[in-house]
Amino acid sequence: MTPQYPSYIGITDVETHGYEQMLVEAFMDGQSSIRLDEPQGFDIGDPPILRGQSRGWTPVHLQLAALAGCTSITIRVVANDFGFQYADLKTSIRSLIDIRGFFFDLHLQPKFEVIQFDITLDTKEDDRAIREIADESDRRCPQLGLYRAAKVPMVIRWFRKGQQEPVHVGWYATTKAKDPAKRLEAAAAKEAAAAAKKAPAKKAAAKAPAKKAPTKQAVPKKRG
């Protein structure tokens, strides 16, 4: 018997099929399938047993597209309800993921360090109206709710087209004072400084002439 659910429950079904290497295909009724793969250079094993071959979206790219797409649709619905007018909507989204636990450090859990999400509206509405749309879209969007429930650090910046400064910034599971991106930038600078410090010593060692083994002097034979 097919399970029955309350009328307010939305049901979403997706099926996938995994092929050779890391290629996966996802299916939903009535639509074209989506192919997923890892990018070239994403290799597992030494020598590689599994290789990424860039034959489709990576799962993380698809995940971010779902987040941005769901948010964009939610904004459209909220704007319609609020009588908020806009001519265009664009988003830009980036994730920073600690992948050490996926490859070589079995003591770490791969995790999103932060998601940086920019939303730009081409609108003549005032800043207060944009902030209202931001707050209500945040409340209604199922994908944003999923990331909030998982406590994934996220920074959402709302821009008006043509302006450099955001009208509204939402901080989720983090704060401006603890911005993970800034922390990671500082860590990268520290790594680069340490590598630069070691570089002259390595270069000097490479240029140093090899030490010659001491030659053995012949011992005169005794005459009998």
Side-chain angles (χ1 to χ4, degrees), residues 31 113 134 178:
Q31 297 295 329
E113 291 284 358
K178 297 180 179 179

Side-chain angles (χ1 to χ4, degrees), residues 30-200:
Q31 297 295 329
S32 301
S33 63
I34 297 175
R35 288 158 64 97
L36 298 94
D37 197 2
E38 294 296 348
Q40 289 183 340
F42 189 97
D43 298 336
I44 307 296
D46 186 18
I49 300 171
L50 298 174
R51 293 180 181 271
Q53 299 180 49
S54 298
R55 292 172 291 179
W57 288 63
T58 74
V60 175
H61 281 91
L62 190 61
Q63 187 176 23
L64 295 181
L67 173 57
C70 185
T71 302
S72 298
I73 291 171
T74 303
I75 292 170
R76 172 57 72 187
V77 172
V78 172
N80 183 70
D81 290 348
F82 280 35
F84 181 98
Q85 300 294 321
Y86 65 89
D88 192 34
L89 164 64
K90 291 184 178 179
T91 71
S92 175
I93 190 165
R94 166 182 283 184
S95 67
L96 303 178
I97 305 178
D98 185 338
I99 59 174
R100 291 174 294 178
F102 189 85
F103 285 103
F104 55 83
D105 193 332
L106 300 182
H107 297 92
L108 290 177
Q109 171 72 50
K111 65 176 183 178
F112 284 91
E113 291 284 358
V114 68
I115 293 175
Q116 300 167 314
F117 191 2
D118 288 352
I119 299 169
T120 301
L121 287 165
D122 182 359
T123 181
K124 295 180 180 179
E125 304 280 357
D126 61 25
D127 289 356
R128 179 188 58 80
I130 292 176
R131 286 191 286 269
E132 288 178 350
I133 290 294
D135 289 340
E136 184 63 11
S137 297
D138 173 65
R139 185 189 72 80
R140 288 200 206 182
C141 180
Q143 286 283 335
L144 285 175
L146 177 66
Y147 284 85
R148 280 203 315 276
K151 297 182 178 179
V152 175
M154 186 184 307
V155 182
I156 305 180
R157 303 188 301 174
W158 291 72
F159 291 89
R160 183 190 302 279
K161 183 180 179 181
Q163 294 186 357
Q164 297 296 320
E165 293 299 318
V167 174
H168 176 74
V169 181
W171 297 85
Y172 305 90
T174 187
T175 63
K176 186 175 182 179
K178 297 180 179 179
D179 186 351
K182 297 296 183 186
R183 172 175 54 79
L184 294 171
E185 288 172 12
K190 189 175 180 180
E191 281 184 358
K197 195 173 182 180
K198 291 179 181 178

